[in-house]
């Protein structure tokens, strides 16, 4: 699905920008390996630390405190704020709990990821819980994001 998503972005002449927290640049790195990277990849911002979210993206510390850094609300806000700084056709934001040490709870166990896809002034929200080693979780995350990129573009561009 990764290859198909990159081909579709190139075919449609669409650029993509990543705002990554838990994935720490993994998604942008994978897209940089595509033969289409020069056509589709605008760039990325790794905002693993809260200070980057607060000082670069200007996400309110109150929002982070209310919902936690690993939440759909903060993930949505990453796209909203990122769109004012970076220019792209598609924005992908991601937060989550790759390993222990975040805001895990019974409702949000380690392996929970939130990601958003911003396209044509809409933000699509996703939550997934992945199992396995951190590397396995990231591979599953990439696959799901690519599936949803294709689905969203095909749905929106009918």
């Amino acid at each position: 699905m990764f290859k198909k998503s990159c081909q579709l972005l190139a075919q449609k002449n669409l650029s993509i920008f990543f705002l990554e927290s838990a994935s720490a640049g993994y998604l942008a790195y994978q897209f940089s390996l595509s033969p289409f990277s020069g056509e589709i990849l605008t760039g990325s911002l790794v905002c693993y630390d809260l200070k980057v979210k607060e000082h670069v993206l200007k996400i309110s510390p109150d929002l982070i405190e209310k919902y936690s850094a690993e939440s759909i609300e903060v993930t949505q806000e990453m796209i909203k704020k990122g769109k004012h700084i970076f220019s792209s056709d598609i924005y992908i934001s991601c937060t989550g709990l790759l390993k222990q040490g975040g805001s895990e709870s019974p409702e949000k166990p380690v392996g929970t990821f939130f990601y958003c896809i911003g396209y044509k002034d809409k933000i699509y929200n996703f939550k997934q819980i992945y199992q396995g080693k951190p590397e396995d979780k990231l591979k599953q995350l990439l696959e799901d994001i690519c599936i949803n990129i294709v689905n969203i573009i095909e749905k929106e561009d009918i």
Side-chain angles (χ1 to χ4, degrees), residues 1-14 16 30-31 34-36 40 90 142-143 145-155:
M1 193 51 74
F2 171 73
K3 184 177 179 182
K4 181 177 180 178
S5 67
C6 292
Q7 287 175 330
L8 181 62
L9 290 168
Q11 177 188 16
K12 299 271 189 182
N13 198 29
L14 296 171
I16 191 165
Q30 292 300 319
F31 272 75
S34 164
F36 303 104
I40 64 174
I90 296 176
L142 176 65
E143 180 71 9
I145 287 173
C146 290
I147 289 167
N148 284 301
I149 287 171
V150 169
N151 290 341
I152 289 167
I153 291 171
E154 289 179 345
K155 175 185 153 198

Side-chain angles (χ1 to χ4, degrees), residues 42-126:
T42 303
S44 70
L45 174 68
V46 175
C47 43
Y48 197 79
D49 188 273
L50 282 179
K51 290 177 184 69
V52 179
K53 290 179 185 80
E54 293 172 356
H55 298 295
V56 176
L57 291 176
K58 307 291 187 206
I59 294 176
S60 163
D62 294 336
L63 184 76
I64 294 169
E65 185 176 331
K66 181 175 182 180
Y67 295 105
S68 88
E70 302 90 8
S71 64
I72 200 65
E73 292 82 5
V74 169
T75 310
Q76 288 172 341
E77 195 71 2
M78 289 166 63
I79 286 184
K80 291 175 187 175
K81 300 291 187 171
K83 287 174 80 172
H84 295 294
I85 304 170
F86 309 105
S87 178
S88 192
D89 298 307
I90 296 176
Y91 297 86
I92 309 290
S93 61
C94 173
T95 65
L97 300 158
L98 183 62
K99 50 192 176 20
Q100 291 181 328
S103 62
E104 64 262 14
S105 68
E107 300 80 33
K108 188 171 56 170
V110 171
T112 302
F113 281 83
F114 301 95
Y115 67 92
C116 295
I117 300 174
Y119 182 56
K120 291 190 173 181
D121 295 322
K122 293 181 184 175
I123 297 177
Y124 299 85
N125 305 308
F126 302 91

Side-chain angles (χ1 to χ4, degrees), residues 123-135:
I123 297 177
Y124 299 85
N125 305 308
F126 302 91
K127 175 185 176 185
Q128 293 290 333
I129 300 174
Y130 301 116
Q131 304 297 319
K133 295 181 283 187
E135 299 84 7

